[in-house]
Amino acid sequence: MSIRRHLATRLAPAALALGLAAPAFAIDIYLNNVKVTGAVANQTFQDVSVRIAGNGDVYIDAPGYKVEVEQPEQAAAATGIAAGKYWFFLDARLPNLYKVGVTVNGKQAVEVPASSAQWVADLGPFLTVGTNQIQVTFLPNPGATQVVGAEAVSVLIGEGSKGADGTLTISKVLRTLKQEGGRSAEAFPLTIDLP
């Protein structure tokens, strides 16, 4: 056995251990060109060659070893809601007072400029089957003349459909919010469970 092969044989487990023990170095490990970072532990390989790329990634060529990647189960039933079923509707009785933002499950879903009198948005692409966390944020428009105590903006989240002519029909109201003029920035967390 040559020194080079002997060194490579000893480097493979060490490289695997290095990659698994120190992910902060942002190196990846490839076994027969399949990324195995964090997936292989307590393995010994015989007759392998090791190459370390310029970015620190470790490539192990192990003839005679087969790497199989398990596909994760599809979670389609638990991830997406059909578009066009759940809607956000905003009606600003006093436009220019608030900019309104909506996050759904941690992702920005809607951003309504303060100048909009009405706004409709499909929330379906952001919702999942089960529990959904929604946050509606009202941000006062700097410099706007505030009408203290008057209803400025109302928000509705509901189940419905949009017709061919663009008319939105809400068949079931899930949540409503109303924001008065003259308020400081406020965020309202909502939880909606969907079948």
mmCIF file of all heavy atoms in Angstrom, residues 45-79:
data_model
loop_
_atom_site.group_PDB
_atom_site.id
_atom_site.type_symbol
_atom_site.label_atom_id
_atom_site.label_comp_id
_atom_site.label_asym_id
_atom_site.label_seq_id
_atom_site.Cartn_x
_atom_site.Cartn_y
_atom_site.Cartn_z
ATOM 1 N N PHE A 45 -14.407 3.279 5.618
ATOM 2 C CA PHE A 45 -14.357 2.957 4.202
ATOM 3 C C PHE A 45 -12.959 2.467 3.856
ATOM 4 O O PHE A 45 -11.963 3.021 4.319
ATOM 5 C CB PHE A 45 -14.698 4.187 3.361
ATOM 6 C CG PHE A 45 -16.079 4.732 3.618
ATOM 7 C CD1 PHE A 45 -16.277 5.810 4.463
ATOM 8 C CD2 PHE A 45 -17.181 4.165 3.005
ATOM 9 C CE1 PHE A 45 -17.544 6.308 4.706
ATOM 10 C CE2 PHE A 45 -18.462 4.658 3.237
ATOM 11 C CZ PHE A 45 -18.642 5.725 4.084
ATOM 12 N N GLN A 46 -12.871 1.454 3.026
ATOM 13 C CA GLN A 46 -11.596 0.908 2.571
ATOM 14 C C GLN A 46 -11.375 1.276 1.115
ATOM 15 O O GLN A 46 -12.329 1.369 0.342
ATOM 16 C CB GLN A 46 -11.596 -0.618 2.717
ATOM 17 C CG GLN A 46 -11.785 -1.115 4.135
ATOM 18 C CD GLN A 46 -10.635 -0.725 5.050
ATOM 19 O OE1 GLN A 46 -9.472 -0.725 4.662
ATOM 20 N NE2 GLN A 46 -10.962 -0.375 6.284
ATOM 21 N N ASP A 47 -10.138 1.480 0.734
ATOM 22 C CA ASP A 47 -9.753 1.758 -0.650
ATOM 23 C C ASP A 47 -10.535 2.922 -1.237
ATOM 24 O O ASP A 47 -11.250 2.787 -2.232
ATOM 25 C CB ASP A 47 -9.927 0.505 -1.522
ATOM 26 C CG ASP A 47 -9.033 -0.626 -1.037
ATOM 27 O OD1 ASP A 47 -7.867 -0.337 -0.686
ATOM 28 O OD2 ASP A 47 -9.506 -1.772 -0.996
ATOM 29 N N VAL A 48 -10.407 4.070 -0.619
ATOM 30 C CA VAL A 48 -11.088 5.262 -1.091
ATOM 31 C C VAL A 48 -10.067 6.340 -1.430
ATOM 32 O O VAL A 48 -8.902 6.262 -1.014
ATOM 33 C CB VAL A 48 -12.075 5.814 -0.034
ATOM 34 C CG1 VAL A 48 -13.145 4.808 0.278
ATOM 35 C CG2 VAL A 48 -11.350 6.275 1.208
ATOM 36 N N SER A 49 -10.479 7.316 -2.200
ATOM 37 C CA SER A 49 -9.633 8.488 -2.427
ATOM 38 C C SER A 49 -10.401 9.713 -1.942
ATOM 39 O O SER A 49 -11.630 9.756 -2.008
ATOM 40 C CB SER A 49 -9.261 8.622 -3.903
ATOM 41 O OG SER A 49 -10.406 8.814 -4.694
ATOM 42 N N VAL A 50 -9.657 10.668 -1.447
ATOM 43 C CA VAL A 50 -10.264 11.866 -0.875
ATOM 44 C C VAL A 50 -9.675 13.084 -1.570
ATOM 45 O O VAL A 50 -8.462 13.183 -1.765
ATOM 46 C CB VAL A 50 -9.994 11.950 0.647
ATOM 47 C CG1 VAL A 50 -10.517 13.253 1.218
ATOM 48 C CG2 VAL A 50 -10.579 10.766 1.359
ATOM 49 N N ARG A 51 -10.576 14.019 -1.924
ATOM 50 C CA ARG A 51 -10.152 15.280 -2.515
ATOM 51 C C ARG A 51 -10.830 16.400 -1.735
ATOM 52 O O ARG A 51 -12.024 16.338 -1.442
ATOM 53 C CB ARG A 51 -10.588 15.337 -3.986
ATOM 54 C CG ARG A 51 -10.243 16.652 -4.665
ATOM 55 C CD ARG A 51 -10.639 16.641 -6.141
ATOM 56 N NE ARG A 51 -12.054 16.410 -6.363
ATOM 57 C CZ ARG A 51 -12.987 17.361 -6.427
ATOM 58 N NH1 ARG A 51 -12.648 18.625 -6.232
ATOM 59 N NH2 ARG A 51 -14.245 17.057 -6.645
ATOM 60 N N ILE A 52 -10.054 17.403 -1.368
ATOM 61 C CA ILE A 52 -10.599 18.557 -0.664
ATOM 62 C C ILE A 52 -10.588 19.725 -1.639
ATOM 63 O O ILE A 52 -9.542 20.129 -2.132
ATOM 64 C CB ILE A 52 -9.789 18.878 0.603
ATOM 65 C CG1 ILE A 52 -9.812 17.680 1.542
ATOM 66 C CG2 ILE A 52 -10.348 20.127 1.280
ATOM 67 C CD1 ILE A 52 -8.929 17.818 2.759
ATOM 68 N N ALA A 53 -11.784 20.241 -1.918
ATOM 69 C CA ALA A 53 -11.923 21.350 -2.867
ATOM 70 C C ALA A 53 -11.419 22.641 -2.243
ATOM 71 O O ALA A 53 -11.215 22.729 -1.026
ATOM 72 C CB ALA A 53 -13.386 21.489 -3.286
ATOM 73 N N GLY A 54 -11.262 23.657 -3.078
ATOM 74 C CA GLY A 54 -10.760 24.956 -2.626
ATOM 75 C C GLY A 54 -11.631 25.604 -1.562
ATOM 76 O O GLY A 54 -11.142 26.363 -0.740
ATOM 77 N N ASN A 55 -12.935 25.291 -1.566
ATOM 78 C CA ASN A 55 -13.825 25.885 -0.556
ATOM 79 C C ASN A 55 -13.908 25.043 0.710
ATOM 80 O O ASN A 55 -14.654 25.362 1.614
ATOM 81 C CB ASN A 55 -15.222 26.092 -1.136
ATOM 82 C CG ASN A 55 -15.910 24.784 -1.483
ATOM 83 O OD1 ASN A 55 -15.303 23.719 -1.416
ATOM 84 N ND2 ASN A 55 -17.164 24.872 -1.873
ATOM 85 N N GLY A 56 -13.157 23.922 0.760
ATOM 86 C CA GLY A 56 -13.144 23.081 1.946
ATOM 87 C C GLY A 56 -14.056 21.873 1.863
ATOM 88 O O GLY A 56 -14.027 21.020 2.740
ATOM 89 N N ASP A 57 -14.879 21.778 0.825
ATOM 90 C CA ASP A 57 -15.736 20.603 0.668
ATOM 91 C C ASP A 57 -14.864 19.369 0.477
ATOM 92 O O ASP A 57 -13.812 19.409 -0.155
ATOM 93 C CB ASP A 57 -16.668 20.758 -0.536
ATOM 94 C CG ASP A 57 -17.770 21.774 -0.293
ATOM 95 O OD1 ASP A 57 -17.922 22.227 0.859
ATOM 96 O OD2 ASP A 57 -18.473 22.114 -1.264
ATOM 97 N N VAL A 58 -15.325 18.257 1.051
ATOM 98 C CA VAL A 58 -14.581 17.003 0.997
ATOM 99 C C VAL A 58 -15.303 16.040 0.066
ATOM 100 O O VAL A 58 -16.502 15.785 0.235
ATOM 101 C CB VAL A 58 -14.451 16.379 2.407
ATOM 102 C CG1 VAL A 58 -13.737 15.043 2.343
ATOM 103 C CG2 VAL A 58 -13.719 17.338 3.344
ATOM 104 N N TYR A 59 -14.574 15.529 -0.923
ATOM 105 C CA TYR A 59 -15.122 14.568 -1.883
ATOM 106 C C TYR A 59 -14.443 13.230 -1.655
ATOM 107 O O TYR A 59 -13.219 13.118 -1.737
ATOM 108 C CB TYR A 59 -14.886 15.046 -3.316
ATOM 109 C CG TYR A 59 -15.702 16.266 -3.663
ATOM 110 C CD1 TYR A 59 -15.256 17.538 -3.339
ATOM 111 C CD2 TYR A 59 -16.926 16.130 -4.290
ATOM 112 C CE1 TYR A 59 -16.010 18.655 -3.641
ATOM 113 C CE2 TYR A 59 -17.703 17.242 -4.603
ATOM 114 C CZ TYR A 59 -17.228 18.499 -4.270
ATOM 115 O OH TYR A 59 -17.983 19.607 -4.565
ATOM 116 N N ILE A 60 -15.256 12.221 -1.365
ATOM 117 C CA ILE A 60 -14.737 10.870 -1.129
ATOM 118 C C ILE A 60 -15.205 9.989 -2.274
ATOM 119 O O ILE A 60 -16.407 9.841 -2.509
ATOM 120 C CB ILE A 60 -15.252 10.314 0.218
ATOM 121 C CG1 ILE A 60 -14.862 11.254 1.357
ATOM 122 C CG2 ILE A 60 -14.713 8.914 0.448
ATOM 123 C CD1 ILE A 60 -15.562 10.951 2.664
ATOM 124 N N ASP A 61 -14.243 9.423 -2.987
ATOM 125 C CA ASP A 61 -14.568 8.483 -4.062
ATOM 126 C C ASP A 61 -14.358 7.088 -3.495
ATOM 127 O O ASP A 61 -13.236 6.694 -3.191
ATOM 128 C CB ASP A 61 -13.668 8.729 -5.270
ATOM 129 C CG ASP A 61 -14.022 7.825 -6.439
ATOM 130 O OD1 ASP A 61 -15.186 7.354 -6.494
ATOM 131 O OD2 ASP A 61 -13.152 7.591 -7.295
ATOM 132 N N ALA A 62 -15.460 6.363 -3.327
ATOM 133 C CA ALA A 62 -15.416 5.042 -2.695
ATOM 134 C C ALA A 62 -15.998 4.001 -3.645
ATOM 135 O O ALA A 62 -17.182 3.663 -3.566
ATOM 136 C CB ALA A 62 -16.182 5.074 -1.382
ATOM 137 N N PRO A 63 -15.160 3.490 -4.583
ATOM 138 C CA PRO A 63 -15.656 2.463 -5.496
ATOM 139 C C PRO A 63 -16.141 1.246 -4.707
ATOM 140 O O PRO A 63 -15.559 0.873 -3.694
ATOM 141 C CB PRO A 63 -14.444 2.106 -6.351
ATOM 142 C CG PRO A 63 -13.488 3.248 -6.176
ATOM 143 C CD PRO A 63 -13.767 3.817 -4.830
ATOM 144 N N GLY A 64 -17.254 0.674 -5.143
ATOM 145 C CA GLY A 64 -17.807 -0.487 -4.450
ATOM 146 C C GLY A 64 -18.817 -0.128 -3.381
ATOM 147 O O GLY A 64 -19.464 -1.009 -2.821
ATOM 148 N N TYR A 65 -18.943 1.155 -3.057
ATOM 149 C CA TYR A 65 -19.946 1.590 -2.091
ATOM 150 C C TYR A 65 -21.075 2.284 -2.851
ATOM 151 O O TYR A 65 -20.828 3.113 -3.724
ATOM 152 C CB TYR A 65 -19.357 2.557 -1.058
ATOM 153 C CG TYR A 65 -18.361 1.919 -0.135
ATOM 154 C CD1 TYR A 65 -17.000 1.921 -0.439
ATOM 155 C CD2 TYR A 65 -18.786 1.315 1.041
ATOM 156 C CE1 TYR A 65 -16.092 1.336 0.415
ATOM 157 C CE2 TYR A 65 -17.875 0.735 1.896
ATOM 158 C CZ TYR A 65 -16.529 0.731 1.575
ATOM 159 O OH TYR A 65 -15.630 0.148 2.417
ATOM 160 N N LYS A 66 -22.291 1.964 -2.506
ATOM 161 C CA LYS A 66 -23.453 2.553 -3.157
ATOM 162 C C LYS A 66 -24.121 3.518 -2.183
ATOM 163 O O LYS A 66 -24.363 3.174 -1.034
ATOM 164 C CB LYS A 66 -24.436 1.457 -3.570
ATOM 165 C CG LYS A 66 -25.626 1.960 -4.331
ATOM 166 C CD LYS A 66 -26.510 0.798 -4.770
ATOM 167 C CE LYS A 66 -27.726 1.305 -5.519
ATOM 168 N NZ LYS A 66 -28.632 0.234 -5.889
ATOM 169 N N VAL A 67 -24.425 4.719 -2.655
ATOM 170 C CA VAL A 67 -25.078 5.720 -1.827
ATOM 171 C C VAL A 67 -26.513 5.862 -2.330
ATOM 172 O O VAL A 67 -26.747 6.140 -3.497
ATOM 173 C CB VAL A 67 -24.364 7.085 -1.913
ATOM 174 C CG1 VAL A 67 -25.059 8.105 -1.031
ATOM 175 C CG2 VAL A 67 -22.905 6.938 -1.540
ATOM 176 N N GLU A 68 -27.455 5.640 -1.433
ATOM 177 C CA GLU A 68 -28.865 5.799 -1.783
ATOM 178 C C GLU A 68 -29.444 6.941 -0.963
ATOM 179 O O GLU A 68 -29.210 7.032 0.238
ATOM 180 C CB GLU A 68 -29.646 4.514 -1.508
ATOM 181 C CG GLU A 68 -29.238 3.367 -2.409
ATOM 182 C CD GLU A 68 -30.030 2.106 -2.130
ATOM 183 O OE1 GLU A 68 -30.800 2.084 -1.145
ATOM 184 O OE2 GLU A 68 -29.869 1.146 -2.888
ATOM 185 N N VAL A 69 -30.195 7.801 -1.611
ATOM 186 C CA VAL A 69 -30.810 8.938 -0.945
ATOM 187 C C VAL A 69 -32.286 8.633 -0.779
ATOM 188 O O VAL A 69 -32.992 8.360 -1.748
ATOM 189 C CB VAL A 69 -30.624 10.230 -1.770
ATOM 190 C CG1 VAL A 69 -31.288 11.398 -1.066
ATOM 191 C CG2 VAL A 69 -29.151 10.501 -1.996
ATOM 192 N N GLU A 70 -32.741 8.660 0.470
ATOM 193 C CA GLU A 70 -34.167 8.444 0.729
ATOM 194 C C GLU A 70 -34.914 9.724 0.429
ATOM 195 O O GLU A 70 -34.524 10.808 0.855
ATOM 196 C CB GLU A 70 -34.394 8.058 2.193
ATOM 197 C CG GLU A 70 -33.860 6.692 2.546
ATOM 198 C CD GLU A 70 -34.158 6.341 3.995
ATOM 199 O OE1 GLU A 70 -35.022 7.000 4.611
ATOM 200 O OE2 GLU A 70 -33.514 5.421 4.499
ATOM 201 N N GLN A 71 -36.005 9.600 -0.310
ATOM 202 C CA GLN A 71 -36.835 10.761 -0.608
ATOM 203 C C GLN A 71 -37.757 11.017 0.578
ATOM 204 O O GLN A 71 -38.383 10.092 1.077
ATOM 205 C CB GLN A 71 -37.674 10.508 -1.860
ATOM 206 C CG GLN A 71 -36.831 10.319 -3.118
ATOM 207 C CD GLN A 71 -36.020 11.560 -3.454
ATOM 208 O OE1 GLN A 71 -36.462 12.667 -3.242
ATOM 209 N NE2 GLN A 71 -34.816 11.344 -3.949
ATOM 210 N N PRO A 72 -37.854 12.269 1.026
ATOM 211 C CA PRO A 72 -38.781 12.558 2.125
ATOM 212 C C PRO A 72 -40.214 12.337 1.661
ATOM 213 O O PRO A 72 -40.530 12.521 0.491
ATOM 214 C CB PRO A 72 -38.525 14.031 2.437
ATOM 215 C CG PRO A 72 -37.881 14.579 1.213
ATOM 216 C CD PRO A 72 -37.161 13.439 0.552
ATOM 217 N N GLU A 73 -41.060 11.943 2.599
ATOM 218 C CA GLU A 73 -42.458 11.731 2.254
ATOM 219 C C GLU A 73 -43.070 13.047 1.800
ATOM 220 O O GLU A 73 -42.784 14.100 2.349
ATOM 221 C CB GLU A 73 -43.234 11.204 3.466
ATOM 222 C CG GLU A 73 -42.877 9.794 3.839
ATOM 223 C CD GLU A 73 -43.744 9.287 4.977
ATOM 224 O OE1 GLU A 73 -44.886 9.775 5.121
ATOM 225 O OE2 GLU A 73 -43.272 8.419 5.701
ATOM 226 N N GLN A 74 -43.921 12.964 0.805
ATOM 227 C CA GLN A 74 -44.613 14.150 0.332
ATOM 228 C C GLN A 74 -45.595 14.601 1.398
ATOM 229 O O GLN A 74 -46.350 13.811 1.926
ATOM 230 C CB GLN A 74 -45.365 13.849 -0.975
ATOM 231 C CG GLN A 74 -44.445 13.500 -2.126
ATOM 232 C CD GLN A 74 -43.569 14.673 -2.533
ATOM 233 O OE1 GLN A 74 -43.966 15.819 -2.407
ATOM 234 N NE2 GLN A 74 -42.373 14.382 -3.004
ATOM 235 N N ALA A 75 -45.562 15.878 1.687
ATOM 236 C CA ALA A 75 -46.460 16.420 2.707
ATOM 237 C C ALA A 75 -47.461 17.374 2.074
ATOM 238 O O ALA A 75 -47.826 18.375 2.650
ATOM 239 C CB ALA A 75 -45.648 17.128 3.787
ATOM 240 N N ALA A 76 -47.875 17.068 0.855
ATOM 241 C CA ALA A 76 -48.770 17.970 0.129
ATOM 242 C C ALA A 76 -50.054 18.224 0.895
ATOM 243 O O ALA A 76 -50.567 19.331 0.917
ATOM 244 C CB ALA A 76 -49.088 17.385 -1.236
ATOM 245 N N ALA A 77 -50.579 17.206 1.543
ATOM 246 C CA ALA A 77 -51.835 17.391 2.256
ATOM 247 C C ALA A 77 -51.680 18.311 3.448
ATOM 248 O O ALA A 77 -52.643 18.892 3.910
ATOM 249 C CB ALA A 77 -52.368 16.040 2.711
ATOM 250 N N ALA A 78 -50.459 18.441 3.954
ATOM 251 C CA ALA A 78 -50.264 19.254 5.148
ATOM 252 C C ALA A 78 -49.591 20.580 4.843
ATOM 253 O O ALA A 78 -49.279 21.317 5.747
ATOM 254 C CB ALA A 78 -49.438 18.483 6.161
ATOM 255 N N THR A 79 -49.326 20.886 3.576
ATOM 256 C CA THR A 79 -48.606 22.116 3.325
ATOM 257 C C THR A 79 -49.399 23.164 2.581
ATOM 258 O O THR A 79 -49.381 24.311 2.952
ATOM 259 C CB THR A 79 -47.307 21.851 2.545
ATOM 260 O OG1 THR A 79 -47.645 21.157 1.348
ATOM 261 C CG2 THR A 79 -46.335 21.046 3.360
#
